[in-house]
Each structure stands twice: as C-alpha cells, then as structure tokens.
C-alpha cells in the first residue's frame, strides 16, 4: 500500500490469501505503515469497507506478479504464516525464513494451527531472536498444538524441505503481546521467587523468565511451595528447562492440578524457569524455592538398584558448625557411619523414610538429611539445616545427585497362544518416544497414539488388530464398554489406522473421548490376530469385515492385550477406582 487515509475507528481494508474472503486472513489496515502482502498461491482478495459517517482520502496500492517465494519480515501486530502454496503441497527444496518483529514493551506470541510435513526430512525451527543464530526454541515435524513466546521483541521461523516428498505444510498465527517487565530475572545460588503480585492475582498475558545459576560444579534443585493457577493446563503454566535458556530441553511442566510437589534437578549449573499466562483467567500464582547442590568436595549421593549412599565431608560439616553425630535422615533411627574425614549414610532404597514416586515416567527416590539442635545452644541455626537428596533411575546409567531408572509399566502382556504381544502409548505419530506414565493423564479430545507389536521380532509373521474396546473396568470389556474398532472396522470417528495386518506391528491413533468425563479411569483392550506373512488370503489381509461369516480358523494365533489406565487430566479419582497393581495387566 503506497498511501492511505481512512477513518481509523470504523473504515478498513482487509487482505485475504486466496480468491475470496473465505480464504486465510492476512491483515487489516486502518492507517499507512508501508504494508505489503504476498499470496501463497495465485490469488489475493482485498476488501475495502467504510461506515455511514466521516470519510478520508482512501488508499492507493500497487500489485505485481512475482515468482514464488517465501519468508519475509513481519511487523503487523497480528497475522498469519503459511508454508508455500498452503493448503496445497509445498515445493521441494524450500528454505524460508520469517522474522516477526514487535516494538516497544511487547513480545511475539506464535501458535501453530496445522502442521503436516514429511516427518523424516522436512521441519520448522523457531528461534528466540531476530536470526537463526539465536537460541533454538523447538524443531517441529508434526502437529502438537505448539505455541511460543519470544523473550524479546523478535521470533524467527525457518521452514526447510528436502528434494523429495511434500505435504500440506503448515499454518500459524502470531500476535504481539504487551509485557509486564516486573517479573523474571537473574538469580544466583539459592533463594525464593514468585509469580507477579504473589500472593495476589497475577496479570493476564504474563511471560516471565527466571535464569537460575550456581557455582561451577554445582547443580540446582527447584521445588514449588505453592501453585495456584487458572484451571486450564494449556492456559497458565510453568515450564522448567535444563540449561541457561528456554532453548534447552524441558524437564517438566507445572500447572493448576499439580499435587505431586515435583522437584527438578539441573544437569549443569544452570536452570531456566518460565511462567506463562493467557489472555483470560488468573489466580494467586506460585512460590518457588531453589538451592544449589553440594560440590564434589562437600558431599555426594549415589544409588544402585538396592541402596542409597549419602557421603558428606567432615570439613564441610565443620564449616557449618555440625558433626556427624548431629545428623539423621527422615527416619531418625537411621544413623550414619562416622570417620575422621567423612560421614556416610548407607541404607536400602525402601527404608529410612525414603519416598518413592513416579515422575514423568521415571522412578525417583527422595530423602532428607537433617541436623538435631545443638545441645549447647551456641549454634541456633543447626535445627534449620536440611539437605534434600534424591535418586532417579535410568537404564544402564548411574547419575550422581539424582539417579533414575525407567520402569516399563504395563507394557508386556501375556496372551493366549505361543506369541506374546505388547501395547503402548507414544507421544506422536512418529512412534519413536514411548510413554511410561501410569495412569496416562490426557486432555479431552487429545490425540493418542498406540502401537501393538510382537514381543519377539519375527519377520515371517503379520499382526492384525481385530477389535479394540475401551472400558472403565480392566476385567470387564463387555458391559459399559466403548468400541474403537470391531472386526477390523473403525467404530469411533476419530480412529485412524497407520498400519495394520502387513507387518509385525499395528499402529493407530484416536482422540480422548467423552467416555473419560464419566469414569475416573479408562482401559483399552485389543484383540490381536497373528498370521503368516506369506499368506495373502489370511484374515490379516482382509481388513474390515462388517459381518463375521464364520469363526476364526484354529490355525490363527490370537492374543489379547490391555493398556491403561487413561485418566482425564485434572479429574479426581472416584473412591474405589484407584489404580491397583492387578489392574496394570491382563493375563
């Protein structure tokens, strides 16, 4: 637009990315700011509107046909991004960079509404700054309702496609958000921090980043003493990143229904905490406490599959005015072995008051080293001494300070016949990252990804899902049940099969249904048929059969696997419906 003069309150120009106003909206103009627009295909639609009173000089614009390109600098307060040709397939060898730049006391909020890429090779990257040299916030290959906020005025979006296979691409919206600078900041060693205005209400559209750091060789331990957020986990929440910026891996997310009092441990001397609130609905916020771990020459904690060993150097204790005789853990009867150089607690993981907890699919063990008050009364702060120690379990790995080992929960289920199958949830349709949480907490209408496979690999066999049923009772899938799949035919409108009957595994997805609103927990049971791979007339190859003409031939091996429970996020269990060990699998 070369120039325009409109009545700002009421007259406007609107530009749409296509041949009508029913195509994506690119922007609204009420004053001249040297605006320019590019279509993603062959058409743009421009609408001019004026009301019944007050008129201006109007507008003048030039248009030009150009070769297809992508990327650009975006400065409007709100708008949309598209891959080239969206919603048609994008081009091979695309390389597009958009810079979204706000001004003043505002940041950029970016939300992806649709992502459909060749997941192996094509991707979107979002950077927290004006170029790809700034911190990477995330790489996107599939749709997970991703949203981002810049820490400054600018976000950069990069889209890349390789030389083969294209898909629909992506669509995203951005908006500039007014910031409130009195939150976040640089914090060191240990202390407390709070949401804005705590314990009073925080404000809408808050985006606060705290950068926590400790001395070289130390790690950071973070806990939340109070969490009161809007009752919507995708609206107001806290994220914790394992490093010096939001570009580092996320350790976890805390929202209104967090009753587990999660603890977070950094793998280095840095930890980054982000608090985000949306445009509506607030609460009292949160209070957090962080402290630094001991250095190697002060103390350590180590774990095996059986024992926890806590070692404190006598020189460190002496600097605090303590001795080994002052110390105890959560069970006062568990006392340390004391030498001239160190104090050592050694006990089995299931004793001495050690707490076991499942966090994000991992088993964690925690305890506390405490000091009894000084008998002489000379050192009054001894009663406040508290050292929080923990172990987490990881496969084949022992990690100091916090050691974890992944535990496979209700994954392997024994069924009939000589072939065993396993069933598990995954995070995306890539089926690369398995979910180990039990119960698996989900949002209503969240897309869930499931894989059923032979426990022992055998390329001469195919696995076919015949029937999948949901039920609140893991021992009764006939009464009060809900069909996802029956006789190979989808019964739920959201059921989507990725592969079935042609390999050693079957994969499908569905959306969490309203069944969860009336039941505390929901379990899945799938009937599996196993066929020879070279039998092209087998039941595995016949797919959906609405009417079963005869019973299955005895030459087919069948298997029944169960998975669950699934729990609606934020819903409290009904009395008598807790998860028992016996409910975790079905023989």
């Amino acid at each position: 637009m070369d120039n325009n003069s409109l009545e700002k309150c009421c007259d406007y120009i609107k530009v749409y990315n296509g041949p009508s106003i029913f195509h994506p909206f690119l922007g609204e103009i009420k004053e001249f700011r040297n605006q320019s627009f590019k279509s993603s295909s062959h058409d743009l639609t421009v609408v001019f509107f004026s009301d019944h009173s007050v008129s201006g000089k109007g507008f003048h614009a030039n248009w030009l046909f150009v070769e297809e390109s992508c990327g650009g600098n975006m400065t409007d307060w709100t708008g949309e991004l598209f891959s080239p040709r969206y919603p048609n397939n994008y081009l091979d060898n695309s390389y597009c960079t958009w810079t979204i730049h706000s001004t003043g006391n505002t940041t950029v909020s970016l939300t992806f509404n649709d992502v459909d890429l060749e997941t192996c090779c094509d991707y979107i990257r979002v950077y927290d700054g004006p170029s790809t040299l700034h911190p990477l916030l995330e790489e996107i290959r599939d749709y997970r309702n991703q949203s981002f906020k810049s820490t400054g005025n600018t976000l950069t979006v990069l889209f890349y496609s390789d030389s083969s296979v294209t898909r629909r691409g992506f669509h995203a919206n951005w908006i500039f958000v007014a910031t409130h600078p009195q939150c976040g900041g640089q914090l060191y060693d240990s202390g407390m921090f709070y949401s804005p205005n705590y314990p009073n209400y925080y404000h809408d559209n808050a985006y606060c980043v705290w950068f926590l750091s400790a001395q070289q060789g130390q790690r950071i331990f973070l806990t939340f003493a109070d969490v009161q957020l809007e009752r919507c986990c995708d609206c107001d929440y806290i994220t914790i990143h394992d490093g010096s910026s939001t570009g580092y891996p996320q350790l976890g997310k805390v929202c209104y229904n967090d009753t587990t009092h999660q603890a977070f441990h950094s793998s280095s001397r840095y930890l980054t905490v982000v608090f985000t609130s949306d445009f509506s609905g607030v609460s009292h916020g949160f209070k957090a406490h962080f402290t630094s771990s001991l250095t190697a020459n002060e103390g350590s904690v180590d774990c095996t599959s059986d024992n926890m060993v806590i070692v404190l150097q006598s020189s460190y204790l002496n600097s605090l005015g303590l001795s080994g005789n002052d110390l105890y853990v959560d069970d006062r009867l568990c006392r340390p072995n004391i030498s001239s150089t160190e104090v050592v607690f050694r006990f089995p993981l299931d004793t001495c008051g050690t707490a076991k907890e499942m966090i994000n699919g991992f088993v964690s063990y925690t305890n506390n080293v405490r000091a009894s008050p000084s008998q002489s009364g000379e050192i009054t702060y001894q009663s406040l001494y508290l050292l929080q120690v923990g172990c987490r379990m990881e496969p084949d790995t022992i990690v100091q300070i916090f050691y974890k080992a992944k535990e496979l929960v209700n994954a392997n289920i024994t069924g009939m016949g000589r072939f065993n199958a396993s069933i598990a949830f995954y995070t995306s349709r890539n089926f690369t990252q398995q979910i180990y949480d039990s119960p698996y907490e989900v949002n209503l209408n969240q897309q869930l990804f499931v894989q059923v496979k032979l426990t022992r690999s055998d390329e001469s066999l195919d696995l076919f899902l015949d029937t999948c049923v949901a039920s609140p009772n893991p021992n009764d899938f006939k009464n009060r049940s809900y069909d996802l799949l029956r006789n190979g035919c989808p019964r739920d409108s959201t059921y989507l099969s990725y592969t079935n009957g042609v390999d050693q595994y079957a994969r499908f997805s569905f959306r969490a249904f309203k069944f969860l609103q009336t039941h505390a927990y929901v379990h899945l049971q799938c009937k599996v048929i196993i066929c020879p791979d070279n039998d092209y007339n087998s039941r595995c190859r016949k797919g959906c059969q609405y009417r079963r003409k005869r019973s299955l031939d005895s030459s087919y091996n069948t298997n029944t696997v169960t998975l669950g429970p699934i729990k609606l996020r934020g819903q409290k269990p009904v009395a008598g419906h807790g998860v028992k060990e016996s409910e975790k699998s079905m023989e």
Side-chain angles (χ1 to χ4, degrees):
M1 298 288 177
D2 292 335
N3 193 11
N4 68 64
S5 176
L6 307 179
E7 182 190 9
K8 293 182 181 179
C9 74
C10 311
D11 304 344
Y12 57 80
I13 307 159
K14 290 185 176 180
V15 183
Y16 297 86
N17 188 29
S20 75
I21 61 173
F22 298 107
H23 286 73
F25 175 62
L26 291 181
E28 180 180 276
I29 303 170
K30 292 192 175 186
E31 61 181 349
F32 178 62
R33 285 183 285 113
N34 197 29
Q35 295 93 330
S36 62
F37 301 91
K38 286 185 180 180
S39 66
S40 61
S41 58
H42 299 296
D43 300 279
L44 276 181
T45 297
V46 181
V47 175
F48 170 60
F49 172 83
S50 66
D51 70 350
H52 63 278
S53 66
V54 185
S55 61
K57 186 168 58 177
F59 72 93
H60 172 245
N62 295 298
W63 56 268
L64 177 69
F65 293 151
V66 296
E67 293 185 7
E68 284 188 302
S69 62
C70 59
N73 294 312
M74 310 300 179
T75 56
D76 285 336
W77 72 274
T78 185
E80 298 176 279
L81 294 182
F82 311 89
S83 52
R85 295 185 174 183
Y86 179 88
N88 301 314
N89 283 20
Y90 51 82
L91 299 170
D92 287 330
N93 299 310
S94 293
Y95 189 88
C96 314
T97 303
W98 293 266
T99 301
I100 311 170
H101 181 69
S102 66
T103 58
N105 193 29
T106 59
T107 58
V108 182
S109 176
L110 176 69
T111 301
F112 284 85
N113 307 308
D114 183 25
V115 176
D116 181 26
L117 307 179
E118 181 193 13
T119 54
C120 74
C121 310
D122 303 344
Y123 56 80
I124 306 158
R125 289 177 177 173
V126 182
Y127 297 87
D128 188 19
S131 75
T132 57
L133 299 177
H134 287 73
L136 174 66
L137 295 181
E138 187 173 338
E139 181 175 284
I140 302 171
R141 293 178 183 260
D142 57 10
Y143 177 62
R144 287 179 286 107
N145 195 32
Q146 294 96 328
S147 62
F148 305 91
K149 285 188 178 180
S150 63
T151 55
N153 293 122
T154 312
L155 279 180
T156 297
V157 180
L158 169 68
F159 170 59
Y160 168 84
S161 68
D162 69 351
S163 59
S164 66
V165 184
T166 63
R167 299 191 185 279
R168 187 171 65 247
F170 73 90
H171 169 231
N173 293 90
W174 85 80
I175 188 171
F176 296 161
V177 179
T179 59
H180 299 261
Q182 296 180 349
C183 66
Q186 305 277 348
L187 301 175
Y188 183 74
D189 191 43
S190 63
M192 303 286 294
F193 60 97
Y194 314 86
S195 54
N197 302 319
Y198 180 88
N200 299 316
Y201 291 112
Y202 53 82
H203 52 263
D204 288 330
N205 298 313
Y207 187 73
C208 310
V209 184
W210 289 270
F211 302 96
L212 313 182
S213 61
Q215 295 182 39
Q216 192 69 38
Q218 291 185 316
R219 300 178 186 179
I220 297 171
F221 178 72
L222 173 70
T223 57
F224 290 89
D226 183 25
V227 177
Q228 298 181 61
L229 304 180
E230 180 188 0
R231 298 183 66 80
C232 168
C233 242
D234 292 325
C235 305
D236 299 356
Y237 52 87
I238 307 158
T239 53
I240 297 91
H241 298 266
D242 189 18
S244 57
S245 75
T246 57
Y248 283 82
Q250 186 174 304
L251 290 178
K253 178 178 178 180
V254 177
C255 51
Y256 77 94
N257 61 353
D258 178 60
T259 57
T260 61
H261 303 294
Q262 295 185 62
F264 300 94
H265 297 247
S266 66
S267 61
S268 69
R269 56 184 290 224
Y270 299 107
L271 198 67
T272 301
V273 182
V274 182
F275 170 57
T276 304
S277 69
D278 68 354
F279 59 89
S280 66
V282 297
S283 189
H284 294 281
F286 70 88
K287 176 172 64 174
H289 176 260
F290 74 99
T291 187
S292 303
S293 68
L294 300 184
T295 60
N297 55 4
E298 291 175 333
S300 65
V301 58
D302 193 15
C303 293
T304 66
S305 59
D306 301 315
N307 296 305
M308 178 182 289
V309 180
I310 304 166
V311 179
L312 297 172
Q313 299 300 319
S314 298
S315 58
Y316 165 67
L317 293 174
N318 292 337
S319 70
L320 299 176
L322 297 172
S323 71
N325 293 318
D326 298 325
L327 303 184
Y328 59 95
V329 290
D330 284 347
D331 183 345
R332 282 179 173 265
L333 297 179
C334 294
R335 291 287 178 169
N337 293 319
I338 303 171
S339 71
S340 60
T341 59
E342 60 186 20
V343 177
V344 180
F345 289 89
R346 185 189 304 272
F347 49 82
L349 285 173
D350 58 353
T351 63
C352 294
T354 304
K356 177 184 177 182
E357 188 176 15
M358 180 75 75
I359 299 177
N360 298 328
F362 295 92
V363 179
S364 73
Y365 297 93
T366 58
N367 209 317
N368 297 283
V369 177
R370 306 174 188 273
S372 57
S374 169
Q375 298 300 313
S376 65
E378 294 176 359
I379 306 176
T380 59
Y381 63 81
Q382 286 184 0
S383 60
L384 300 178
Y385 179 78
L386 175 67
L387 174 64
Q388 296 166 312
V389 295
C391 293
R392 68 180 182 185
M393 306 303 202
E394 286 181 356
D396 305 321
T397 304
I398 295 178
V399 182
Q400 270 194 336
I401 303 302
F402 206 72
Y403 161 99
K404 281 192 171 181
K406 189 174 291 183
E407 185 175 81
L408 298 178
V409 179
N410 49 284
N412 293 318
I413 312 296
T414 301
M416 297 180 293
R418 66 184 181 88
F419 300 110
N420 293 336
S422 65
I423 183 170
F425 287 114
Y426 284 78
T427 58
S428 72
R429 61 185 174 189
N430 293 336
F431 294 94
T432 56
Q433 185 174 351
Q434 186 175 335
I435 293 170
Y436 298 93
D437 292 354
S438 181
Y440 179 25
E441 291 195 354
V442 301
N443 297 315
L444 192 63
N445 293 320
Q446 177 180 332
Q447 193 169 13
L448 310 181
F449 301 90
V450 182
Q451 175 176 275
V452 183
K453 68 174 182 178
L454 292 175
T455 303
R456 185 172 58 186
S457 178
D458 190 337
E459 293 183 357
S460 68
L461 300 175
D462 290 335
L463 183 149
F464 178 75
L465 285 180
D466 179 78
T467 299
C468 286
V469 180
S471 170
N473 186 343
N475 300 307
D476 182 5
F477 287 89
K478 293 182 178 180
N479 302 309
R480 293 193 302 158
S481 63
Y482 179 87
D483 284 359
L484 291 173
L485 183 73
R486 176 71 62 179
N487 299 330
C489 304
R491 292 293 185 87
D492 180 86
S493 61
T494 68
Y495 180 93
L496 178 61
S497 175
Y498 297 101
T499 183
N500 191 18
V502 295
D503 212 325
Q504 306 169 60
Y505 56 84
R507 292 170 172 175
F508 66 94
S509 68
F510 64 98
R511 294 194 179 276
F513 31 72
K514 292 185 178 179
F515 201 61
L516 280 165
Q517 289 182 317
T518 55
H519 299 88
Y521 296 96
V522 173
H523 302 254
L524 297 183
Q525 183 186 77
C526 291
K527 184 176 181 180
V528 173
I529 299 170
I530 298 160
C531 315
D533 180 69
N534 59 5
D535 184 358
Y536 292 92
N537 292 315
S538 70
R539 175 69 187 94
C540 294
R541 300 301 177 96
K542 293 179 180 178
C544 171
Q545 290 187 337
Y546 283 100
R547 299 182 65 181
R548 181 67 56 79
K549 294 183 179 180
R550 59 185 177 84
S551 61
L552 290 173
D553 189 279
S554 60
S555 62
Y556 292 120
N557 289 274
T558 63
N559 191 300
T560 301
V561 293
T562 59
L563 178 64
I566 312 168
K567 178 179 180 291
L568 191 63
R569 195 179 301 279
Q571 186 178 25
K572 295 182 178 179
V574 178
H577 288 78
V579 185
K580 301 177 181 177
E581 280 299 314
S582 61
E583 293 178 354
K584 291 187 178 179
S585 64
M586 185 173 179
E587 295 294 321

